[in-house]
Amino acid sequence: RAQQPTAAAAAGRKQSGAASGRFEDPGAVIKRNAVEKVTAKVRAELQRYYTDTGREIETLMASDATAADAATRKRDELRELQREADEYEAKSASLREWLTNFGKSDEIDVDAVTEPKDALSKQLLHLAADDAALSDTMYYLEKALGAGTIDLPAFLKVYRSLAHEQCLTRATKRLCQDTQQRNRHSARK
């Protein structure tokens, strides 16, 4: 007696080959379906991996550009610091030379050392002295007013005159300082 396959078993063995009349083994169908599912999952994981990796590469490239900019800034800062160090070394050498020249004698002529080297420095020195003298005079005028030695109208007249003169002196002093600063700046270039 031949066994007749049940309808469920026959349906399980039938697959895409049903139109051609072929029957497939149920184990092969299950295996093929499992392989297709695993393949789909692997493809999805690979696609997600490629997308994430692409984003990460873009982020790294952007941070690399930022790092390159930072490195360029640091190199520029280093060059500037090196230039300043060289400038300070030159000034230090100049100071050592000055100390050796003036350190040879026991007596240093203070006037020769503090004498201004140019007309602008000389004018600035005199303006600073005038400003200090005017400030002192104004201070003592205030003390005299407080002590009752001078009356208010005389105080105001003299104080106003001194304040005006001091204002002009300070303006001229500021102008001299600005001119010296410009001269030093242009000499560096």
Side-chain angles (χ1 to χ4, degrees), residues 42-53:
V42 167
R43 281 186 182 140
E45 282 296 317
L46 281 174
Q47 185 62 36
R48 190 173 24 254
Y49 174 77
Y50 289 143
T51 303
D52 292 346
T53 304

Side-chain angles (χ1 to χ4, degrees), residues 24-39:
E24 289 188 51
D25 180 31
V29 171
I30 293 172
K31 184 177 180 182
R32 188 177 67 238
N33 288 342
V35 167
E36 287 174 2
K37 284 182 182 179
V38 168
T39 303

